[in-house]
Amino acid sequence: MTRSLCSIAAPGFDLGLTLNCGQVFHWRAQGAGWLGVIGEEPCYLEQQGDSLLVPAAMAEKVSTYLALDHDMAAIRATLPHDAAMQAAAAAFGGIRIIRQPFWECVATFITSAQKAVPHITQISHTLRQRYGRAVTYEGATLYAYPEPAALAALEESDLRACALGYRAKTLLKTARMVASGEVDLAHIATLPTDIALVELTRLSGVGEKVANCALLFAYERLDAVPIDVWIARILRGTYRKTRSNPAQLKAFAAKHFGPYAGYAQQMLFHHARTG
DNA sequence: TCCCAGGGGTGGG
DNA sequence: CCCACCCATGGG
């Protein structure tokens, strides 16, 4: 079965950059485009200049997922005019902070602790393949991220067999907290950001950094700034915050980068990593 | 081919 | 504030 594709406008958008800048880890290159899953739906995406080729039936869903509605001119206008920020924004203005499903995002970043992109991607694919729902796209089999209940039913050894190491214990505990309703990820979306952060950090394996990743990449809090070693390096070096601890770095980032500090973070992060 | 250091973080001491 | 926790990865 061939799915009909349609073209949607995506001016200034960079699909490859958006899917590979360290916010989402399961999209695979396929021909001239990318194959992945949005929630439970398999999807092929291909950039053609300032347009995006997407499955016709999914145009709306794709636009929301990729945050094509973000007003980048307005966002860019709020970013500070220092040299580092402007260089990062010029090079990586095609990035969009996407809207990921809550659980998929929280769980994936729990498995990302102390890991580089290839390994996070590999863990994601293994979990999906073993415990996620299989869906097909033109003959290719893809897998949705496993439901909380699917992981909650496992033993720690099952997750260790997916190369999670010490993350097996925390992911399992968190899956059980979410599956049982002890923590309600959808409810967290209704909370103010500071309260949402406290609630997210109740989950096992979710500290300040992972919680901020979830707030930024799933909960649409574009002012959230995950302070990881890369951003810490940039703030301590480029921005001369040599002796600041993570809390001080977070405060500086909020003040200096403003309401879209999360965008600033992502562009600087990618700039540093691909430096 | 094999070995070993060290890592985009968290939580407990 | 410090260190243990696991293990795929990549450099030597």
Side-chain angles (χ1 to χ4, degrees):
Chain A
M1 178 184 73
T2 300
R3 307 207 186 187
S4 67
L5 300 174
C6 76
S7 182
I8 59 179
F13 175 68
D14 189 325
L15 179 63
L17 202 50
T18 295
L19 298 180
N20 294 290
C21 67
Q23 60 177 329
V24 62
F25 302 92
H26 78 278
W27 290 86
R28 282 183 158 151
Q30 167 77 30
W34 302 87
L35 208 45
V37 178
I38 299 179
E40 300 266 307
E41 285 195 72
C43 187
Y44 173 78
L45 302 170
E46 182 181 323
Q47 176 142 23
Q48 296 191 327
D50 274 345
S51 299
L52 223 48
L53 213 51
V54 310
M58 291 181 72
E60 192 72 29
K61 183 167 283 197
V62 168
S63 295
T64 301
Y65 179 74
L66 295 177
L68 297 182
D69 56 302
H70 283 176
D71 183 345
M72 293 311 292
I75 290 171
R76 294 270 295 269
T78 69
L79 299 178
H81 292 280
D82 66 78
M85 182 72 259
Q86 289 303 313
F92 300 112
I95 288 176
R96 295 295 174 277
I97 305 286
I98 71 173
R99 298 184 177 96
Q100 297 180 50
F102 303 140
W103 166 247
E104 178 178 327
C105 186
V106 168
T108 300
F109 278 96
I110 287 174
T111 66
S112 79
Q114 287 269 309
K115 288 297 166 206
V117 172
H119 194 197
I120 303 167
T121 304
Q122 182 199 311
I123 289 171
S124 169
H125 280 123
T126 305
L127 288 174
R128 286 167 183 272
Q129 211 171 106
R130 293 192 187 175
Y131 303 113
R133 173 199 300 261
V135 290
T136 61
Y137 190 97
E138 296 191 353
T141 303
L142 304 174
Y143 299 86
Y145 200 85
E147 293 295 318
L151 297 187
L154 302 176
E155 299 300 327
E156 185 183 325
S157 57
D158 298 321
L159 290 176
R160 282 184 177 265
C162 299
L164 265 72
Y166 61 82
R167 302 154 199 83
K169 194 186 292 282
T170 55
L171 181 61
L172 179 60
K173 199 167 170 193
T174 283
R176 289 178 176 168
M177 289 172 84
V178 172
S180 72
E182 184 183 341
V183 170
D184 181 347
L185 296 183
H187 173 67
I188 289 176
T190 69
L191 302 173
T193 302
D194 52 343
I195 310 294
L197 184 120
V198 171
E199 195 62 13
L200 283 167
T201 52
R202 285 178 55 208
L203 296 167
S204 182
V206 179
E208 186 92 1
K209 191 273 180 183
V210 171
N212 275 294
C213 286
L215 288 171
L216 181 59
F217 302 131
Y219 287 96
E220 304 182 53
R221 310 304 165 98
L222 299 181
D223 57 335
V225 178
I227 305 285
D228 60 23
V229 302
W230 291 90
I231 287 300
R233 245 172 243 161
I234 293 165
L235 297 179
R236 293 193 172 119
T238 307
Y239 291 95
R240 313 263 167 225
K241 301 289 143 188
T242 324
R243 303 170 70 82
S244 303
N245 64 32
Q248 292 168 317
L249 293 178
K250 184 182 177 177
F252 168 75
K255 181 163 177 285
H256 185 68
F257 298 111
Y260 298 103
Y263 259 107
Q265 180 269 7
Q266 201 59 16
M267 292 168 180
L268 289 165
F269 171 84
H270 200 68
H271 196 49
R273 276 194 49 214
T274 56

